[in-house]
Amino acid sequence: RHLQPWRDFDRSKVYTADLESALHYLLRVELATHNTLEGEELKVFKDFVTLVAKLYPGGGSVVKLMETLSDWLLSLPLQRIPYQAVLDLVDNKMSISGVFLGAELRWVGCQGSQAGLRGYPCSLWTLFHVLTVQHEATPTAMENTGLEDEAAPVLQVMRRYIRMFFGCEQCGRHFEQAAAATMDQVQTRDQQILWLWNQHNMVNYRLAGSLSDDPLFPKAPWPSPSLCASCHEEKNGVHVWNYDNVLLFLRHHYGASNLSPRYSM
Ligand code: FAD
């Protein structure tokens, strides 16, 4: 794979270019492996599109595209949709707005030091962290979506999406195990944010030093003390997280005001 020129970035920011590239990859590469969407697949895809349409911050062209896609999916009486029809709609809408989902993937905070590292999986984590924070910040966003009765709609939709579509099947199995064990205990929006953070750290622990570990971005408990000193404490000589401060940090880091449009299309 061709490696793009390095883009300088700030690790304390989240880049909309990564979120847009996540959706680009999801809609045009990951989904393209399914010729038609039907039954449970179609339901999972609809819920994912609804979630992003309602919770993606900023109200820009991404939200307009996802709203259009969502309205279209909900209005169709079909039980079965060819993938090509989804792609046509995404392409048409793109040429109208002209800004969303250009011709290439543009990784910024998710760029890897070598081709094949980071990129899409990094951006998918990032997207879902942003959505958990946005769900807390906009309490009424899920009304009348069919998802309003779920205690943790972002996690539930993520779980179903990963199980059904995520290209890395081993990742899907691990995530499903974790979800089955503890996701049902999540009752509040705060807990939803922290559950995903904690689960992501579990994956970081497991993958530290593995082949998928980018030497420039070694897997480690996150946030590091340099990103958030008050997140870390020591009790009787043992490292512990200060969960209140972790939550404050996550709200800030993945919040709408910390999104950078730099490199965005
Ligand atoms: P990533 O882990 O992708 O993190 C992206 C960015 O998120 C980081 O750069 C950092 O800014 C931030 N971040 C890091 N940790 C946290 C945290 N705890 N909370 C909030 N933000 C954080 N790969 C496997 O090989 N095996 C697996 O079983 C596996 N399971 C996965 C399950 C899911 C649901 C997903 C989305 C991915 C999975 N992956 C798995 C891929 C793997 O987790 C990484 O995404 C990939 O290796 C790229 O790593 P990265 O260095 O870009 O950092």
Side-chain angles (χ1 to χ4, degrees):
R1 262 200 290 164
H2 170 67
L3 197 62
Q4 298 170 340
W6 189 258
R7 301 190 176 95
D8 285 323
F9 74 100
D10 176 348
R11 290 193 196 210
S12 68
K13 295 257 163 219
V14 171
Y15 289 83
T16 50
D18 289 314
L19 303 178
E20 288 162 8
S21 296
L23 291 168
H24 176 126
Y25 189 96
L26 186 149
L27 290 169
R28 315 198 77 190
V29 182
E30 193 154 75
L31 219 60
T33 62
H34 296 242
N35 275 328
T36 54
L37 300 172
E38 60 185 316
E40 187 61 16
E41 280 177 356
L42 186 56
K43 164 124 185 50
V44 171
F45 180 60
K46 275 184 189 169
D47 284 347
F48 173 80
V49 171
T50 302
L51 191 78
V52 177
K54 296 290 179 187
L55 294 180
Y56 192 95
S61 53
V62 169
V63 170
K64 289 201 192 75
L65 174 79
M66 296 311 267
E67 281 173 348
T68 307
L69 192 51
S70 172
D71 290 347
W72 176 73
L73 286 168
L74 294 173
S75 69
L76 284 179
L78 304 175
Q79 299 302 309
R80 200 183 148 88
I81 300 184
Y83 167 70
Q84 187 59 44
V86 175
L87 187 62
D88 286 348
L89 185 131
V90 170
D91 284 344
N92 283 337
K93 180 64 187 176
M94 278 183 335
S95 56
I96 295 165
S97 65
V99 272
F100 170 59
L101 300 183
E104 56 170 16
L105 296 165
R106 229 178 264 201
W107 308 119
V108 181
C110 283
Q111 68 197 309
S113 66
Q114 295 161 38
L117 293 176
R118 311 197 71 222
Y120 179 60
C122 167
S123 67
L124 201 60
W125 279 119
T126 308
L127 175 65
F128 281 109
H129 288 300
V130 166
L131 298 180
T132 60
V133 167
Q134 205 58 18
H135 184 239
E136 192 194 38
T138 53
T140 57
M142 300 313 292
E143 278 174 11
N144 303 318
T145 60
L147 294 165
E148 61 272 19
D149 293 334
E150 304 221 33
V154 178
L155 298 182
Q156 297 295 350
V157 171
M158 178 177 182
R159 176 182 184 177
R160 293 182 216 128
Y161 184 85
I162 297 285
R163 186 164 59 200
M164 195 67 90
F165 294 105
F166 195 41
C168 167
E169 286 175 15
Q170 177 211 356
C171 305
R173 275 198 302 279
H174 281 133
F175 195 72
E176 182 53 34
Q177 265 172 20
T182 54
M183 203 181 260
D184 286 351
Q185 294 160 21
V186 175
Q187 294 300 331
T188 66
R189 292 160 191 255
D190 293 7
Q191 288 167 3
Q192 179 173 240
I193 296 172
L194 284 170
W195 189 94
L196 194 60
W197 162 77
N198 180 61
Q199 183 50 35
H200 193 168
N201 266 342
M202 294 298 161
V203 177
N204 293 341
Y205 281 118
R206 181 152 45 77
L207 294 182
S210 75
L211 276 178
S212 67
D213 210 6
D214 189 322
L216 258 193
F217 301 89
K219 300 260 188 325
W222 188 96
S224 65
S226 62
L227 273 181
C228 178
S230 67
C231 291
H232 300 265
E233 280 176 3
E234 210 182 280
K235 273 198 182 131
N236 307 323
V238 179
H239 173 270
V240 289
W241 293 104
N242 179 315
Y243 292 104
D244 292 340
N245 289 338
V246 169
L247 184 59
L248 289 174
F249 175 77
L250 290 167
R251 277 188 197 132
H252 160 76
H253 184 79
Y254 287 110
S257 63
N258 198 41
L259 283 180
S260 168
R262 204 175 161 206
Y263 303 110
S264 182
M265 287 158 219

